[in-house]
């Protein structure tokens, strides 16, 4: 359970355009925003003061591919970074007592230090080229029939640095999902091809696609354990 009231201080900075052919103005400049926030939360039996330092950086108009054989338009999109450092300080220690003031569960696994670069993202999921690393939110794969609204950081004690990427060309494409690069459990890929695109690119039949998808959750139990009252029991990792 958690309840919080948060305060935020933010400062914004701009840099000059990354390329000389980009027109001036705020929209074409590298932009950064530093924010400081704090709030309160109850985690398990204890109360914590939660502090975070965050820095958002947006580098505009990064071109990874030009209009041509594979793409109908230039793949020019913003590249976004989110650097994030959270800290939780125990302010009320209820039974059972704990000796640590700083909540060590926030930093007790190597993967949790990867949260310092919480997100790196290029484009949007329906662009010709897209990727997002770090915290994944609202991931949808296979028109929501394979994966729908997936989030890889719901566990407050276990940050995961995942990867979601798409490549969509006029001839076909591919998609990749990994929940945690440090210790993958849910992962898979799908690929598809539009065969009529090789015959007549202007025909309506070029919309027809054939593909293969393979996704799995290797941590999913074959049988759900229950106690004598019929309640489901989590494993040592809280799953």
């Amino acid at each position: 359970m958690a309840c919080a009231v948060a305060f935020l201080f933010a400062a914004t900075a701009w840099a000059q355009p990354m390329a000389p052919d980009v027109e001036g103005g705020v929209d074409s400049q590298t932009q950064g925003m530093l924010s400081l926030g704090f709030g309160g939360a109850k985690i398990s039996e204890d109360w914590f003061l939660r502090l975070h330092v965050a820095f958002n950086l947006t580098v505009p108009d990064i071109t990874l591919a030009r209009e041509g054989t594979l793409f109908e338009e230039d793949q020019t999109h913003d590249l976004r970074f989110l650097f994030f450092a959270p800290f939780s300080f125990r302010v009320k220690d209820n039974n059972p007592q704990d000796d640590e003031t700083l909540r060590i569960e926030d930093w007790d696994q190597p993967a949790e230090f990867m949260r310092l670069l919480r997100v790196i993202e290029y484009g949007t999921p329906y662009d010709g080229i897209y990727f997002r690393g770090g915290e994944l939110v609202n991931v949808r794969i296979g028109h929501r029939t394979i994966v729908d609204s997936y989030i890889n950081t719901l566990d407050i004690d276990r940050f995961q640095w995942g990867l979601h990427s798409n490549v969509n060309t006029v001839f076909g494409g591919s998609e990749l999902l990994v929940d945690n690069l440090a210790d993958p459990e849910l992962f898979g890929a799908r690929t598809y091809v539009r065969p009529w695109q090789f015959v007549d690119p202007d025909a309506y039949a070029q919309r027809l696609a054939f593909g293969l998808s393979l996704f799995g959750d290797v941590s999913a139990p074959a049988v759900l354990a229950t106690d004598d009252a019929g309640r489901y029991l989590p494993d040592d990792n809280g799953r």
Side-chain angles (χ1 to χ4, degrees):
M1 180 183 72
C3 58
V5 55
F7 297 87
L8 181 69
F9 171 79
T12 304
W14 290 271
Q16 293 300 314
M18 297 295 290
D21 59 344
V22 176
E23 294 182 0
V26 173
D27 291 340
S28 62
Q29 294 178 338
T30 298
Q31 303 178 34
M33 174 175 287
L34 176 68
S35 63
L36 308 173
F38 65 91
K42 184 179 183 182
I43 305 174
S44 298
E45 73 282 351
D46 296 340
W47 283 92
F48 291 84
L49 173 65
R50 307 200 71 187
L51 306 177
H52 78 256
V53 180
F55 182 68
N56 286 276
L57 179 67
T58 300
V59 183
D61 301 329
I62 300 297
T63 301
L64 295 186
R66 293 293 186 183
E67 176 185 351
T69 304
L70 294 179
F71 299 99
E72 295 180 344
E73 57 186 20
D74 291 349
Q75 293 305 303
T76 301
H77 311 295
D78 291 348
L79 180 62
R80 297 174 291 275
F81 300 87
L82 171 58
F83 301 91
F84 189 83
F87 302 96
S88 299
F89 299 94
R90 186 176 281 103
V91 294
K92 185 176 182 181
D93 190 2
N94 296 316
N95 291 324
Q97 298 292 309
D98 198 308
D99 295 333
E100 291 84 8
T101 300
L102 180 67
R103 188 171 186 269
I104 61 173
E105 290 87 346
D106 292 339
W107 301 97
D108 62 351
Q109 298 182 31
E112 290 177 331
F113 286 89
M114 299 174 70
R115 83 170 81 198
L116 294 174
L117 176 56
R118 192 179 185 95
V119 174
I120 176 172
E121 185 175 38
Y122 177 80
T124 66
Y126 298 103
D127 290 328
I129 299 177
Y130 166 78
F131 63 83
R132 179 182 175 110
E135 180 182 30
L136 305 180
V137 295
N138 199 27
V139 176
R140 299 173 177 178
I141 295 177
H143 304 286
R144 305 175 67 173
T145 61
I146 301 174
V147 177
D148 185 18
S149 302
Y150 174 71
I151 302 173
N152 72 333
T153 55
L154 284 177
D155 188 347
I156 193 173
D157 293 328
R158 187 168 175 256
F159 181 82
Q160 300 187 120
W161 211 94
L163 175 66
H164 178 215
S165 65
N166 294 343
V167 176
N168 299 304
T169 74
V170 296
F171 297 105
S174 63
E175 190 164 8
L176 174 68
L177 171 64
V178 182
D179 70 326
N180 184 4
L181 293 181
D183 184 18
E185 295 172 344
L186 188 153
F187 54 90
R190 67 189 299 259
T191 184
Y192 69 95
V193 62
R194 302 184 186 276
W196 208 259
Q197 185 71 30
F198 298 92
V199 179
D200 184 0
D202 297 323
Y204 186 81
Q206 60 87 21
R207 297 172 59 88
L208 181 66
F210 296 91
L212 174 66
S213 301
L214 180 61
F215 285 84
D217 184 353
V218 298
S219 67
V223 177
L224 295 179
T226 59
D227 60 16
D228 294 337
R231 293 170 296 192
Y232 292 121
L233 299 176
D235 63 13
D236 293 338
N237 293 316
R239 298 189 293 262

